[in-house]
Coordinates of all heavy atoms in Angstrom, one line a residue:
M6 N -21.6 28.5 42.5 CA -21.9 27.1 42.2 C -20.9 26.5 41.3 O -19.8 26.9 41.1 CB -23.3 27.1 41.5 CG -24.5 26.7 42.5 SD -24.4 25.1 43.3 CE -25.4 24.2 42.2
G7 N -21.3 25.4 40.6 CA -20.4 24.6 39.8 C -20.2 25.3 38.4 O -20.8 26.3 38.1
A8 N -19.5 24.6 37.6 CA -19.2 25.0 36.2 C -20.3 24.4 35.3 O -20.6 23.2 35.4 CB -17.9 24.6 35.8
P9 N -20.9 25.3 34.5 CA -22.0 24.7 33.6 C -21.2 23.9 32.5 O -20.3 24.3 31.8 CB -22.6 26.0 32.9 CG -21.6 27.1 33.2 CD -20.8 26.7 34.4
I10 N -21.7 22.7 32.4 CA -21.0 21.7 31.4 C -22.0 21.4 30.2 O -21.5 20.9 29.2 CB -20.6 20.4 32.0 CG1 -21.8 19.7 32.7 CG2 -19.5 20.7 33.1 CD1 -21.5 18.2 33.0
R11 N -23.3 21.7 30.4 CA -24.2 21.4 29.3 C -25.4 22.3 29.4 O -25.8 22.7 30.6 CB -24.6 19.9 29.5 CG -25.4 19.4 28.3 CD -25.6 17.9 28.4 NE -24.4 17.2 28.5 CZ -24.2 16.0 29.1 NH1 -25.2 15.5 29.8 NH2 -23.1 15.4 29.1
H12 N -25.9 22.6 28.3 CA -27.1 23.5 28.3 C -28.3 22.8 27.6 O -28.0 22.2 26.5 CB -26.8 24.8 27.5 CG -25.5 25.5 27.9 ND1 -25.3 26.2 29.1 CD2 -24.3 25.5 27.3 CE1 -24.1 26.6 29.2 NE2 -23.5 26.3 28.1
Y13 N -29.4 22.9 28.2 CA -30.6 22.4 27.5 C -31.4 23.7 27.2 O -31.7 24.5 28.0 CB -31.5 21.6 28.5 CG -30.8 20.3 28.8 CD1 -30.4 20.1 30.1 CD2 -30.5 19.3 27.9 CE1 -29.8 18.9 30.5 CE2 -29.8 18.2 28.2 CZ -29.5 17.9 29.5 OH -28.8 16.8 29.9
T14 N -31.8 23.8 25.9 CA -32.5 25.0 25.5 C -33.8 24.5 24.8 O -33.9 23.5 24.2 CB -31.8 25.8 24.5 OG1 -31.4 25.0 23.3 CG2 -30.5 26.4 25.1
A15 N -34.9 25.3 25.0 CA -36.1 25.1 24.3 C -36.8 26.5 24.0 O -36.4 27.5 24.6 CB -37.1 24.3 25.2
T16 N -37.6 26.5 23.1 CA -38.2 27.7 22.5 C -39.7 27.8 22.7 O -40.4 26.8 22.6 CB -37.9 27.8 21.0 OG1 -36.5 27.6 20.8 CG2 -38.2 29.3 20.5
T17 N -40.2 28.9 23.1 CA -41.7 29.1 23.2 C -42.2 29.3 21.9 O -41.6 29.6 20.9 CB -42.0 30.4 24.1 OG1 -41.5 31.5 23.4 CG2 -41.4 30.3 25.5
P18 N -43.6 29.1 21.8 CA -44.3 29.4 20.4 C -44.0 30.8 20.0 O -44.0 31.1 18.8 CB -45.7 29.2 20.8 CG -45.7 28.2 21.9 CD -44.5 28.6 22.8
G19 N -43.7 31.8 20.9 CA -43.4 33.1 20.5 C -42.0 33.3 20.1 O -41.6 34.5 19.8
G20 N -41.1 32.3 20.2 CA -39.8 32.4 19.7 C -38.8 32.8 20.9 O -37.6 33.0 20.6
E21 N -39.2 32.8 22.1 CA -38.3 33.1 23.2 C -37.6 31.9 23.6 O -38.2 30.8 23.7 CB -39.1 33.7 24.4 CG -38.3 34.5 25.4 CD -39.2 35.1 26.5 OE1 -40.4 35.0 26.3 OE2 -38.6 35.6 27.4
V22 N -36.3 32.0 23.9 CA -35.5 30.8 24.2 C -35.2 30.7 25.7 O -34.9 31.7 26.3 CB -34.1 30.9 23.4 CG1 -33.3 29.6 23.8 CG2 -34.4 30.9 21.9
F23 N -35.4 29.5 26.3 CA -35.1 29.3 27.7 C -34.1 28.3 27.8 O -34.0 27.4 27.0 CB -36.5 29.0 28.5 CG -37.4 30.1 28.6 CD1 -38.4 30.4 27.7 CD2 -37.2 30.9 29.8 CE1 -39.2 31.5 27.9 CE2 -38.1 31.9 30.0 CZ -39.1 32.2 29.1
T24 N -33.3 28.4 28.9 CA -32.2 27.6 29.0 C -32.1 27.0 30.5 O -32.4 27.7 31.4 CB -30.8 28.3 28.8 OG1 -30.9 29.0 27.5 CG2 -29.6 27.4 28.8
A25 N -31.8 25.7 30.5 CA -31.5 25.1 31.8 C -30.1 24.5 31.7 O -29.7 24.0 30.7 CB -32.5 24.0 32.2
N26 N -29.2 24.7 32.7 CA -27.9 24.3 32.6 C -27.6 23.1 33.6 O -28.2 23.0 34.6 CB -26.9 25.4 33.1 CG -27.1 26.6 32.2 OD1 -27.0 26.5 31.0 ND2 -27.3 27.8 32.8
V27 N -26.7 22.2 33.1 CA -26.2 21.2 34.1 C -24.9 21.8 34.6 O -24.0 22.1 33.8 CB -25.9 19.8 33.3 CG1 -25.3 18.8 34.3 CG2 -27.3 19.3 32.8
E28 N -24.8 21.9 35.9 CA -23.6 22.4 36.5 C -22.9 21.3 37.2 O -23.5 20.6 38.0 CB -23.9 23.6 37.4 CG -24.6 24.8 36.6 CD -24.8 26.0 37.5 OE1 -24.6 25.9 38.8 OE2 -25.1 27.1 37.0
R29 N -21.6 21.2 37.0 CA -20.8 20.3 37.7 C -20.1 20.9 38.9 O -19.3 21.8 38.7 CB -19.8 19.6 36.7 CG -19.0 18.5 37.3 CD -18.5 17.6 36.2 NE -19.6 16.8 35.6 CZ -19.4 15.9 34.7 NH1 -18.2 15.7 34.1 NH2 -20.5 15.3 34.2
D30 N -20.3 20.4 40.0 CA -19.6 20.9 41.2 C -18.5 20.0 41.7 O -18.7 18.9 42.2 CB -20.7 21.0 42.4 CG -20.3 21.9 43.5 OD1 -19.0 22.0 43.7 OD2 -21.1 22.6 44.1
F31 N -17.3 20.6 41.6 CA -16.1 19.7 41.9 C -15.7 19.8 43.3 O -14.7 19.2 43.8 CB -14.9 20.3 41.0 CG -15.1 20.0 39.5 CD1 -15.5 21.0 38.7 CD2 -14.9 18.7 39.0 CE1 -15.7 20.7 37.3 CE2 -15.0 18.5 37.7 CZ -15.4 19.5 36.8
R32 N -16.5 20.5 44.1 CA -16.2 20.5 45.5 C -16.6 19.2 46.2 O -16.2 18.9 47.3 CB -17.0 21.6 46.3 CG -16.4 23.0 45.9 CD -17.3 24.1 46.5 NE -18.7 23.9 46.0 CZ -19.7 24.8 46.3 NH1 -19.5 25.6 47.3 NH2 -20.9 24.6 45.8
Y33 N -17.4 18.3 45.5 CA -17.7 17.1 46.0 C -16.7 16.0 45.4 O -16.2 16.2 44.3 CB -19.1 16.7 45.6 CG -20.2 17.6 46.2 CD1 -20.6 18.7 45.5 CD2 -20.6 17.3 47.5 CE1 -21.6 19.5 46.1 CE2 -21.5 18.1 48.1 CZ -22.1 19.3 47.3 OH -23.0 20.0 47.9
D34 N -16.5 14.9 46.0 CA -15.7 13.8 45.5 C -16.5 12.5 45.7 O -16.6 12.1 46.8 CB -14.4 13.8 46.2 CG -13.4 12.8 45.7 OD1 -13.6 12.5 44.4 OD2 -12.5 12.3 46.4
P35 N -16.9 11.8 44.6 CA -16.8 12.3 43.2 C -17.7 13.6 43.0 O -18.5 13.9 43.8 CB -17.3 11.1 42.4 CG -18.3 10.5 43.3 CD -17.8 10.6 44.7
Y36 N -17.4 14.2 41.8 CA -18.2 15.5 41.6 C -19.7 15.2 41.4 O -20.1 14.1 41.2 CB -17.7 16.1 40.2 CG -17.9 15.1 39.0 CD1 -19.1 15.0 38.4 CD2 -16.8 14.5 38.5 CE1 -19.3 14.2 37.4 CE2 -16.9 13.6 37.4 CZ -18.2 13.4 36.9 OH -18.3 12.6 35.8
R37 N -20.5 16.2 41.6 CA -21.9 16.1 41.5 C -22.4 17.0 40.4 O -21.9 18.2 40.3 CB -22.6 16.5 42.9 CG -22.6 15.3 43.8 CD -23.6 15.5 44.8 NE -23.2 15.1 46.1 CZ -23.9 15.5 47.3 NH1 -24.9 16.3 47.2 NH2 -23.4 15.2 48.4
D38 N -23.4 16.6 39.7 CA -24.1 17.4 38.7 C -25.4 18.0 39.2 O -26.1 17.2 39.8 CB -24.3 16.6 37.4 CG -23.0 16.4 36.7 OD1 -21.9 17.0 37.0 OD2 -22.9 15.5 35.8
F39 N -25.6 19.2 38.9 CA -26.9 19.9 39.3 C -27.6 20.4 38.1 O -26.9 20.9 37.1 CB -26.6 21.0 40.3 CG -26.1 20.5 41.6 CD1 -24.7 20.4 41.8 CD2 -27.0 20.2 42.6 CE1 -24.2 20.0 43.0 CE2 -26.4 19.7 43.8 CZ -25.0 19.7 44.0
L40 N -28.9 20.3 38.1 CA -29.6 20.8 37.0 C -30.2 22.1 37.5 O -30.9 22.2 38.5 CB -30.8 19.8 36.5 CG -31.6 20.2 35.3 CD1 -30.8 20.4 34.1 CD2 -32.6 19.1 35.1
V41 N -29.9 23.2 36.8 CA -30.3 24.6 37.3 C -31.0 25.3 36.1 O -30.4 25.5 35.0 CB -29.1 25.4 37.8 CG1 -29.6 26.7 38.3 CG2 -28.4 24.6 38.8
C42 N -32.1 25.9 36.4 CA -32.8 26.7 35.4 C -32.2 28.1 35.4 O -32.0 28.7 36.5 CB -34.3 26.8 35.7 SG -35.2 27.9 34.5
A43 N -31.9 28.6 34.3 CA -31.3 29.9 34.2 C -32.2 31.1 34.4 O -31.9 32.2 34.5 CB -30.5 30.1 32.8
H44 N -33.5 30.7 34.5 CA -34.5 31.9 34.5 C -35.3 32.0 35.8 O -35.8 33.0 36.2 CB -35.5 31.6 33.4 CG -34.8 31.5 32.1 ND1 -34.5 32.6 31.3 CD2 -34.4 30.4 31.3 CE1 -33.8 32.2 30.2 NE2 -33.8 30.9 30.2
C45 N -35.4 30.9 36.6 CA -36.2 31.0 37.8 C -35.5 30.3 39.0 O -36.1 30.3 40.1 CB -37.5 30.4 37.6 SG -37.6 28.6 37.3
G46 N -34.3 29.8 38.9 CA -33.7 29.2 40.0 C -34.1 27.8 40.3 O -33.7 27.3 41.4
W47 N -34.9 27.2 39.5 CA -35.4 25.9 39.7 C -34.2 24.9 39.7 O -33.3 25.0 38.8 CB -36.4 25.5 38.6 CG -36.8 24.1 38.6 CD1 -37.7 23.4 39.3 CD2 -36.3 23.1 37.6 NE1 -37.8 22.1 38.9 CE2 -36.9 21.9 37.9 CE3 -35.3 23.2 36.5 CZ2 -36.6 20.8 37.1 CZ3 -35.1 22.0 35.8 CH2 -35.7 20.8 36.1
S48 N -34.1 24.0 40.7 CA -33.0 23.1 40.7 C -33.4 21.8 41.4 O -33.4 21.8 42.7 CB -31.8 23.7 41.4 OG -30.7 22.8 41.4
P49 N -33.8 20.8 40.7 CA -34.2 19.6 41.4 C -33.0 18.8 41.9 O -31.9 19.0 41.3 CB -34.9 18.8 40.2 CG -34.2 19.3 39.0 CD -33.8 20.7 39.3
S50 N -33.2 17.9 42.8 CA -32.1 17.1 43.2 C -32.0 16.0 42.2 O -33.0 15.4 41.8 CB -32.3 16.5 44.6 OG -33.6 15.8 44.6
L51 N -30.8 15.7 41.7 CA -30.6 14.8 40.6 C -30.3 13.4 41.2 O -29.4 13.2 41.9 CB -29.4 15.2 39.7 CG -29.6 16.3 38.7 CD1 -28.3 16.3 37.8 CD2 -30.8 15.9 37.8
L52 N -31.3 12.5 41.0 CA -31.1 11.2 41.5 C -30.5 10.3 40.4 O -29.7 9.4 40.7 CB -32.5 10.6 41.9 CG -33.2 11.4 43.0 CD1 -34.5 10.8 43.2 CD2 -32.4 11.4 44.2
T53 N -30.8 10.5 39.2 CA -30.2 9.8 38.0 C -29.6 10.8 37.1 O -30.0 12.0 37.0 CB -31.2 9.0 37.3 OG1 -32.3 9.9 36.8 CG2 -31.9 7.9 38.1
T54 N -28.6 10.4 36.4 CA -27.9 11.3 35.4 C -28.5 11.2 34.0 O -28.3 12.1 33.2 CB -26.4 11.1 35.4 OG1 -26.2 9.7 35.2 CG2 -25.8 11.5 36.7
G55 N -29.1 10.1 33.7 CA -29.6 9.8 32.3 C -30.7 10.6 31.9 O -30.9 10.7 30.7
K56 N -31.5 11.1 32.8 CA -32.8 11.7 32.3 C -32.8 13.2 32.6 O -33.9 13.8 32.6 CB -33.9 11.0 33.2 CG -34.2 9.6 32.8 CD -35.4 9.1 33.6 CE -35.7 7.7 33.2 NZ -36.7 7.0 34.1
T57 N -31.7 13.8 32.7 CA -31.7 15.2 32.9 C -32.4 16.0 31.7 O -33.0 17.0 32.0 CB -30.2 15.8 33.1 OG1 -29.4 15.4 32.0 CG2 -29.6 15.4 34.3
I58 N -32.2 15.5 30.5 CA -32.9 16.2 29.4 C -34.4 16.2 29.5 O -35.1 17.1 29.2 CB -32.4 15.7 28.0 CG1 -32.9 16.7 27.0 CG2 -32.7 14.3 27.8 CD1 -32.2 16.5 25.7
D59 N -34.9 15.0 30.0 CA -36.3 14.9 30.2 C -36.8 15.9 31.3 O -37.8 16.6 31.2 CB -36.7 13.5 30.6 CG -36.5 12.5 29.5 OD1 -36.4 13.0 28.3 OD2 -36.4 11.3 29.8
M60 N -36.0 16.0 32.4 CA -36.4 16.9 33.5 C -36.3 18.3 33.1 O -37.3 19.1 33.4 CB -35.5 16.6 34.7 CG -35.7 15.3 35.3 SD -34.4 14.9 36.6 CE -34.9 15.9 37.9
A61 N -35.3 18.6 32.3 CA -35.1 20.0 31.9 C -36.2 20.4 30.9 O -36.8 21.4 30.9 CB -33.7 20.2 31.2
G62 N -36.5 19.4 29.9 CA -37.5 19.7 29.0 C -38.9 19.9 29.6 O -39.7 20.8 29.2
E63 N -39.2 19.1 30.6 CA -40.5 19.1 31.3 C -40.6 20.5 32.0 O -41.6 21.2 31.9 CB -40.6 18.0 32.3 CG -42.0 17.8 32.8 CD -42.1 16.7 33.8 OE1 -41.5 15.6 33.6 OE2 -42.5 17.0 34.9
H64 N -39.5 20.9 32.7 CA -39.6 22.2 33.4 C -39.7 23.3 32.4 O -40.5 24.2 32.6 CB -38.3 22.4 34.2 CG -38.2 23.7 34.8 ND1 -38.9 24.2 35.9 CD2 -37.5 24.8 34.4 CE1 -38.7 25.4 36.2 NE2 -37.8 25.9 35.2
L65 N -38.9 23.3 31.4 CA -38.9 24.4 30.4 C -40.3 24.6 29.8 O -40.8 25.7 29.5 CB -37.9 24.3 29.3 CG -36.4 24.4 29.8 CD1 -35.4 24.1 28.7 CD2 -36.1 25.8 30.4
A66 N -41.0 23.5 29.5 CA -42.3 23.4 28.9 C -43.3 23.8 29.9 O -44.2 24.7 29.7 CB -42.6 22.0 28.4
S67 N -43.3 23.3 31.1 CA -44.4 23.5 32.1 C -44.3 24.9 32.8 O -45.3 25.6 33.0 CB -44.5 22.4 33.1 OG -43.3 22.3 33.9
A68 N -43.1 25.3 33.1 CA -42.9 26.5 33.9 C -42.8 27.8 32.9 O -43.1 28.9 33.3 CB -41.6 26.4 34.8
H69 N -42.2 27.5 31.7 CA -41.9 28.7 30.8 C -42.6 28.6 29.5 O -42.4 29.5 28.7 CB -40.4 28.8 30.7 CG -39.7 29.0 32.0 ND1 -39.8 30.1 32.8 CD2 -38.8 28.1 32.6 CE1 -39.0 29.9 33.8 NE2 -38.4 28.7 33.7
G70 N -43.3 27.5 29.3 CA -44.1 27.4 28.0 C -43.2 27.2 26.8 O -43.6 27.4 25.7
A71 N -41.9 26.8 27.1 CA -40.9 26.5 26.0 C -41.1 25.1 25.6 O -40.4 24.2 26.1 CB -39.5 26.9 26.4
V72 N -42.0 24.9 24.6 CA -42.4 23.5 24.3 C -41.7 23.0 23.0 O -41.8 21.8 22.7 CB -43.9 23.3 24.1 CG1 -44.6 23.5 25.5 CG2 -44.5 24.3 23.2
H73 N -41.0 23.9 22.3 CA -40.5 23.5 21.0 C -39.0 23.4 21.0 O -38.3 24.1 21.8 CB -40.8 24.6 19.9 CG -42.3 24.7 19.7 ND1 -43.1 23.6 19.4 CD2 -43.1 25.7 19.7 CE1 -44.4 24.0 19.2 NE2 -44.4 25.3 19.5
G74 N -38.5 22.5 20.2 CA -37.0 22.5 19.9 C -36.1 22.2 21.0 O -35.0 22.8 21.1
L75 N -36.5 21.3 21.9 CA -35.6 21.0 23.1 C -34.3 20.4 22.5 O -34.3 19.4 21.7 CB -36.3 20.0 24.0 CG -35.5 19.5 25.2 CD1 -35.2 20.6 26.1 CD2 -36.2 18.4 25.9
S76 N -33.2 21.0 22.9 CA -31.9 20.5 22.4 C -30.9 20.6 23.6 O -31.1 21.4 24.5 CB -31.5 21.2 21.2 OG -31.2 22.6 21.5
Q77 N -29.8 19.9 23.4 CA -28.7 20.0 24.4 C -27.4 20.4 23.7 O -27.2 19.9 22.6 CB -28.6 18.7 25.2 CG -28.1 17.5 24.4 CD -27.7 16.4 25.3 OE1 -26.9 16.5 26.3 NE2 -28.3 15.2 25.1
Q78 N -26.7 21.2 24.4 CA -25.4 21.6 23.8 C -24.3 21.4 25.0 O -24.6 21.8 26.1 CB -25.4 23.0 23.4 CG -26.2 23.3 22.1 CD -27.0 24.6 22.2 OE1 -27.0 25.2 23.3 NE2 -27.7 24.9 21.2
E79 N -23.2 20.9 24.6 CA -22.2 20.8 25.6 C -21.4 22.1 25.7 O -21.3 22.8 24.7 CB -21.2 19.7 25.2 CG -21.7 18.3 25.6 CD -20.7 17.3 25.6 OE1 -19.8 17.3 26.5 OE2 -20.8 16.4 24.8
N80 N -21.0 22.4 26.9 CA -20.3 23.7 27.1 C -19.0 23.6 26.2 O -18.3 22.7 26.2 CB -19.9 23.8 28.5 CG -19.2 25.1 28.8 OD1 -18.1 25.4 28.3 ND2 -19.8 26.0 29.6
E81 N -18.8 24.8 25.5 CA -17.7 24.8 24.5 C -16.3 24.5 25.2 O -15.5 23.7 24.6 CB -17.7 26.2 23.9 CG -16.8 26.3 22.6 CD -17.3 25.5 21.5 OE1 -18.4 24.9 21.6 OE2 -16.6 25.4 20.5
S82 N -16.0 25.0 26.3 CA -14.7 24.8 26.9 C -14.5 23.4 27.3 O -13.4 22.8 27.3 CB -14.5 25.8 28.1 OG -15.5 25.6 29.0
F83 N -15.6 22.8 27.8 CA -15.5 21.4 28.2 C -15.2 20.5 27.0 O -14.5 19.5 27.0 CB -16.7 20.9 29.0 CG -16.5 21.1 30.4 CD1 -16.8 22.3 31.0 CD2 -16.1 20.0 31.3 CE1 -16.6 22.5 32.4 CE2 -15.9 20.2 32.6 CZ -16.2 21.4 33.2
R84 N -15.9 20.8 25.9 CA -15.8 20.1 24.7 C -14.3 20.2 24.2 O -13.7 19.1 23.8 CB -16.7 20.6 23.6 CG -17.1 19.6 22.6 CD -18.2 20.2 21.6 NE -17.7 21.4 21.1 CZ -17.1 21.5 19.9 NH1 -16.7 20.4 19.3 NH2 -16.7 22.6 19.4
K85 N -13.7 21.3 24.2 CA -12.4 21.5 23.8 C -11.4 20.8 24.7 O -10.5 20.2 24.2 CB -12.0 23.0 23.8 CG -12.6 23.8 22.6 CD -12.1 25.2 22.6 CE -12.8 26.0 21.5 NZ -13.0 27.4 21.8
A86 N -11.7 20.9 26.0 CA -10.8 20.2 26.9 C -10.8 18.7 26.6 O -9.7 18.0 26.7 CB -11.3 20.4 28.4
R87 N -11.9 18.1 26.2 CA -11.9 16.7 25.9 C -11.2 16.4 24.7 O -10.6 15.4 24.5 CB -13.4 16.2 25.8 CG -13.5 14.7 26.1 CD -14.9 14.3 26.3 NE -15.8 14.7 25.2 CZ -17.1 14.8 25.3 NH1 -17.7 14.5 26.3 NH2 -17.7 15.2 24.2
L88 N -11.3 17.3 23.7 CA -10.6 17.2 22.4 C -9.0 17.1 22.6 O -8.3 16.4 21.9 CB -10.9 18.3 21.4 CG -12.3 18.2 20.8 CD1 -12.5 19.4 19.9 CD2 -12.4 16.9 20.0
I89 N -8.6 17.8 23.6 CA -7.2 17.8 24.0 C -6.8 16.6 24.8 O -5.8 16.0 24.5 CB -6.8 19.1 24.8 CG1 -7.0 20.3 23.9 CG2 -5.4 19.1 25.3 CD1 -7.1 21.7 24.6
V90 N -7.7 16.2 25.7 CA -7.3 15.1 26.6 C -7.3 13.8 25.9 O -6.5 12.9 26.1 CB -8.4 15.1 27.8 CG1 -8.2 13.8 28.5 CG2 -8.1 16.2 28.7
L91 N -8.2 13.6 24.9 CA -8.3 12.3 24.2 C -7.0 11.9 23.5 O -6.6 10.8 23.7 CB -9.5 12.3 23.3 CG -10.8 11.8 23.8 CD1 -11.9 11.9 22.8 CD2 -10.7 10.4 24.4
P92 N -6.4 12.8 22.7 CA -5.2 12.4 22.0 C -4.1 12.1 23.0 O -3.3 11.2 22.8 CB -4.8 13.7 21.2 CG -6.1 14.4 21.0 CD -6.9 14.1 22.3
I93 N -4.0 12.8 24.1 CA -3.0 12.6 25.1 C -3.2 11.2 25.7 O -2.2 10.4 25.9 CB -3.1 13.6 26.2 CG1 -2.6 15.0 25.7 CG2 -2.2 13.2 27.4 CD1 -2.8 16.2 26.6
A94 N -4.4 10.8 26.0 CA -4.7 9.5 26.5 C -4.4 8.4 25.6 O -3.8 7.4 25.9 CB -6.2 9.4 26.9
A95 N -4.6 8.7 24.2 CA -4.3 7.7 23.2 C -2.8 7.5 23.1 O -2.3 6.4 23.0 CB -4.8 8.2 21.9
V96 N -2.0 8.6 23.2 CA -0.6 8.5 23.1 C 0.0 7.7 24.4 O 0.8 6.9 24.2 CB 0.0 9.9 23.1 CG1 1.6 9.8 23.4 CG2 -0.2 10.6 21.8
L97 N -0.6 8.0 25.5 CA -0.2 7.2 26.7 C -0.5 5.8 26.6 O 0.4 4.9 27.0 CB -0.9 7.9 27.9 CG -0.4 9.2 28.4 CD1 -1.3 9.7 29.6 CD2 1.1 9.1 28.8
L98 N -1.6 5.4 26.0 CA -2.0 4.0 25.8 C -1.0 3.3 24.9 O -0.6 2.2 25.1 CB -3.4 3.9 25.3 CG -4.5 3.9 26.4 CD1 -5.9 3.8 25.8 CD2 -4.3 2.6 27.3
I99 N -0.7 4.0 23.8 CA 0.2 3.5 22.8 C 1.6 3.2 23.5 O 2.2 2.2 23.3 CB 0.3 4.4 21.6 CG1 -1.0 4.3 20.8 CG2 1.4 4.0 20.6 CD1 -1.2 5.4 19.7
G100 N 2.0 4.2 24.2 CA 3.3 4.2 24.9 C 3.3 3.0 25.8 O 4.3 2.2 25.9
L101 N 2.1 2.7 26.5 CA 2.0 1.6 27.4 C 2.2 0.2 26.7 O 2.9 -0.6 27.1 CB 0.7 1.7 28.2 CG 0.5 0.7 29.4 CD1 1.4 1.1 30.5 CD2 -1.0 0.8 29.9
F102 N 1.5 0.2 25.6 CA 1.5 -1.0 24.8 C 3.0 -1.3 24.3 O 3.5 -2.5 24.3 CB 0.6 -1.0 23.6 CG -0.8 -1.3 23.9 CD1 -1.8 -0.4 23.7 CD2 -1.2 -2.6 24.4 CE1 -3.2 -0.7 24.0 CE2 -2.4 -2.9 24.8 CZ -3.4 -2.0 24.6
V103 N 3.6 -0.3 23.8 CA 5.0 -0.4 23.3 C 5.9 -0.9 24.5 O 6.7 -1.8 24.3 CB 5.5 0.9 22.8 CG1 7.0 0.8 22.5 CG2 4.7 1.3 21.5
C104 N 5.8 -0.4 25.7 CA 6.5 -0.8 26.8 C 6.2 -2.3 27.2 O 7.2 -3.0 27.5 CB 6.2 0.1 28.0 SG 6.9 1.7 27.9
L105 N 5.0 -2.7 27.1 CA 4.6 -4.0 27.5 C 5.2 -5.0 26.5 O 5.5 -6.2 26.8 CB 3.1 -4.2 27.5 CG 2.5 -3.5 28.8 CD1 0.9 -3.6 28.7 CD2 3.0 -4.1 30.1
R106 N 5.2 -4.7 25.2 CA 5.7 -5.6 24.2 C 7.2 -5.8 24.1 O 7.7 -6.8 23.7 CB 5.2 -5.1 22.8 CG 3.7 -5.3 22.6 CD 3.2 -4.5 21.4 NE 3.7 -5.1 20.2 CZ 3.0 -5.6 19.2 NH1 1.7 -5.6 19.3 NH2 3.6 -6.0 18.1
S107 N 7.9 -4.8 24.6 CA 9.3 -4.9 24.5 C 10.0 -5.5 25.7 O 9.3 -5.8 26.7 CB 9.9 -3.5 24.3 OG 9.6 -2.7 25.4
Ligands
LIG4 ZN1 -37.3 27.9 35.2

């Protein structure tokens, strides 16, 4: 499947942690994001991208009893990739401005 880009985690009253991942599949153009439960293979079809945390939280709560501490974390490697790409984009933009002004 795709590369996990984000994790939604929630905890049961007993302290067990459950995770649902957002996986980005680059085989599609444009890419598609899938929400996949790491514990039972649940994967709804994503119609909107804005409410994935609600869908993940609802599933983790209703299917696994993980009702506490719903949180999202971005995948570490994707976060690092963006930290590298942003300065490069900034440098390119500055270069473009310099070219346009001269
Ligand atoms: Zn599940």
Side-chain angles (χ1 to χ4, degrees):
M6 260 299 265
I10 57 165
R11 192 171 298 151
H12 311 287
Y13 296 115
T14 57
T16 312
T17 64
E21 203 178 346
V22 178
F23 284 91
T24 307
N26 299 311
V27 175
E28 297 185 351
R29 182 157 292 180
D30 196 330
F31 291 101
R32 288 173 300 176
Y33 297 95
D34 186 23
Y36 61 78
R37 278 200 220 165
D38 288 346
F39 296 90
L40 187 58
V41 182
C42 179
H44 305 276
C45 68
W47 169 82
S48 181
S50 56
L51 279 188
L52 301 177
T53 58
T54 52
K56 289 182 180 170
T57 51
I58 190 166
D59 292 342
M60 293 170 74
E63 194 186 307
H64 170 78
L65 292 173
S67 63
H69 303 292
V72 292
H73 296 306
L75 177 65
S76 66
Q77 67 170 305
Q78 290 140 354
E79 281 194 67
N80 185 295
E81 192 65 6
S82 58
F83 267 84
R84 205 173 57 84
K85 279 184 188 150
R87 203 168 54 195
L88 286 178
I89 295 164
V90 167
L91 269 180
I93 292 172
V96 167
L97 286 176
L98 272 178
I99 291 166
L101 190 68
F102 278 121
V103 170
C104 285
L105 287 176
R106 285 165 69 116
S107 60

